[in-house]
Amino acid sequence: MTLVGFYVVQSAAPGQRLNVAARLADKAFQRGHRIFINAADEAQACELDELLWHYRPASFLPHGLLGQEHADTVAIGWGQEPEGHNDLLINLQLAIPPFFSRFARVAEVVTQEPDSLAALRQSWTFYKERGYQLEKHDL
């Protein structure tokens, strides 16, 4: 069954969700995982794509928008079917994507922004009521 981790940031600053997603993707990649990042929309996906190219100058994180070159290891989409990814889902949408259960792990990024908090509290309840194992990580 899918393991769901909630990564809680004690900030409401714009860009926090993307920074946490980049950090999680980098750490997971270093551990050999294949990653699908589910952005809120195409604009956020493009912003994250740019961030990942410059995230850590000392490391290389091969990635791309879904369907592009380098998207086989780290793919960034915005609601599309993940095309062969089933290891780690980093969800940046405020709704749970219909394909989440195909992944071994799901990472939900929580900031203190009111809409994010409310939506992700609902997500916690959704996963809990269905018996998924939940983890909370304070960042």
Side-chain angles (χ1 to χ4, degrees), residues 1-7 24 27-28 31-38 82 85-91 97 99-108 127 132-137:
M1 181 173 268
T2 303
L3 172 64
V4 182
F6 284 78
Y7 294 82
L24 292 173
K27 187 174 182 179
R31 292 181 174 177
H33 293 283
R34 292 185 67 228
I35 303 135
F36 180 75
I37 304 173
N38 190 41
H85 283 269
N86 62 5
D87 189 6
L88 171 63
L89 166 65
I90 300 173
N91 186 35
F99 49 77
F100 81 91
S101 63
R102 72 188 277 176
F103 286 85
R105 294 183 64 101
V106 173
E108 296 278 3
Y127 291 123
Y132 289 94
Q133 181 181 349
L134 304 177
E135 297 178 340
K136 179 179 176 270
H137 306 276

Side-chain angles (χ1 to χ4, degrees), residues 48-93:
L48 183 59
D49 180 46
E50 186 64 27
L51 173 65
L52 289 176
W53 284 120
H54 306 287
Y55 177 65
R56 282 188 28 187
S59 69
F60 175 66
L61 186 59
H63 69 280
L65 297 176
L66 191 62
Q68 293 182 347
E69 187 178 8
H70 303 297
D72 55 333
T73 304
V74 180
I76 305 167
W78 53 95
Q80 307 96 318
E81 195 59 37
E83 293 182 11
H85 283 269
N86 62 5
D87 189 6
L88 171 63
L89 166 65
I90 300 173
N91 186 35
L92 295 176
Q93 292 189 357

